[in-house]
């Protein structure tokens, strides 16, 4: 079931998992000085490497493949205003490169929160390679780029 995203005027939660993570390339101009709250997606998704950044496929979009390839994603939740959300949409190339979907996340204190997640606007195919998983079996871009 797709969660209903409760928004307060001008405030949005966004779950990030790649170059927008705190301290990574796009964070400095798109989200800094905000610090994200560590979180994990409640649902499982397919994540692959694109050209220098990760892609997440929307499970509802009918991605082909083995169900064992789907994992929870480790990332961060940021609270942003309308202007920042617009800037993120431009960065992510919404709606042609990525699109935004609403998802449930769970933070490290166990609290469930609804947030926007950027997913690939097209089906993922064999031109990308799978991202490795962390010790808990979750996709974790921070671990991937540190290796």
């Amino acid at each position: 079931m797709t969660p209903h995203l409760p928004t307060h005027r001008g405030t949005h939660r966004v779950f990030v998992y790649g170059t927008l993570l705190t301290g990574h390339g796009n964070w400095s101009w798109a989200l800094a000085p905000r610090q994200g709250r560590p979180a994990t997606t409640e649902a499982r998704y397919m994540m692959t490497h694109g050209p220098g950044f990760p892609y997440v496929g929307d499970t509802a979009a009918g991605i082909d493949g083995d169900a064992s390839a789907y994992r929870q994603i480790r990332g961060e939740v940021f609270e942003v205003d309308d202007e920042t959300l617009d800037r993120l949409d431009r960065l992510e190339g919404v709606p042609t490169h990525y699109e935004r979907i609403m998802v449930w996340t769970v933070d490290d204190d166990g609290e469930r929160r609804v947030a926007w997640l950027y997913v690939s606007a097209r089906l993922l195919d064999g031109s990308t390679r799978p991202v490795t998983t962390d010790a808990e079996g979750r996709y974790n871009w921070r671990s991937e780029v540190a290796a």
Side-chain angles (χ1 to χ4, degrees):
M1 178 175 162
T2 302
H4 170 69
L5 186 64
T7 57
H8 303 284
R9 185 166 185 200
T11 302
H12 312 273
R13 286 190 209 103
V14 179
F15 178 86
V16 304
Y17 53 84
T19 63
L20 287 166
L21 289 166
T22 301
H24 286 261
N26 285 320
W27 169 81
S28 61
W29 76 268
L31 292 166
R34 297 173 193 85
Q35 299 291 307
R37 176 189 298 260
T40 302
T41 59
E42 193 170 81
R44 297 171 183 268
Y45 300 88
M46 171 71 77
M47 179 185 269
T48 61
H49 275 286
F53 49 86
Y55 283 102
V56 169
D58 180 0
T59 56
I63 298 169
D64 295 328
D66 181 359
S68 68
Y70 292 76
R71 302 274 190 269
Q72 291 175 301
I73 300 169
R74 185 72 175 150
E76 296 172 344
V77 173
F78 286 85
E79 292 197 7
V80 302
D81 58 22
D82 292 332
E83 181 181 331
T84 303
L85 188 63
D86 288 344
R87 187 168 46 246
L88 292 172
D89 283 353
R90 285 191 304 277
L91 170 71
E92 301 293 9
V94 172
T96 56
H97 194 70
Y98 284 92
E99 38 188 37
R100 269 191 289 124
I101 64 169
M102 293 178 278
V103 300
W104 286 105
T105 64
V106 180
D107 68 22
D108 287 354
D109 295 327
E111 187 169 340
R112 290 176 79 215
R113 298 175 190 274
V114 173
W116 289 112
L117 168 68
Y118 288 97
V119 298
S120 179
R122 56 187 160 56
L123 291 178
L124 301 179
D125 59 26
S127 67
T128 58
R129 70 174 176 81
V131 175
T132 57
T133 58
D134 65 13
E136 288 79 33
R138 303 171 299 199
Y139 290 127
N140 189 335
W141 176 254
R142 194 179 300 278
S143 297
E144 182 78 14
V145 295

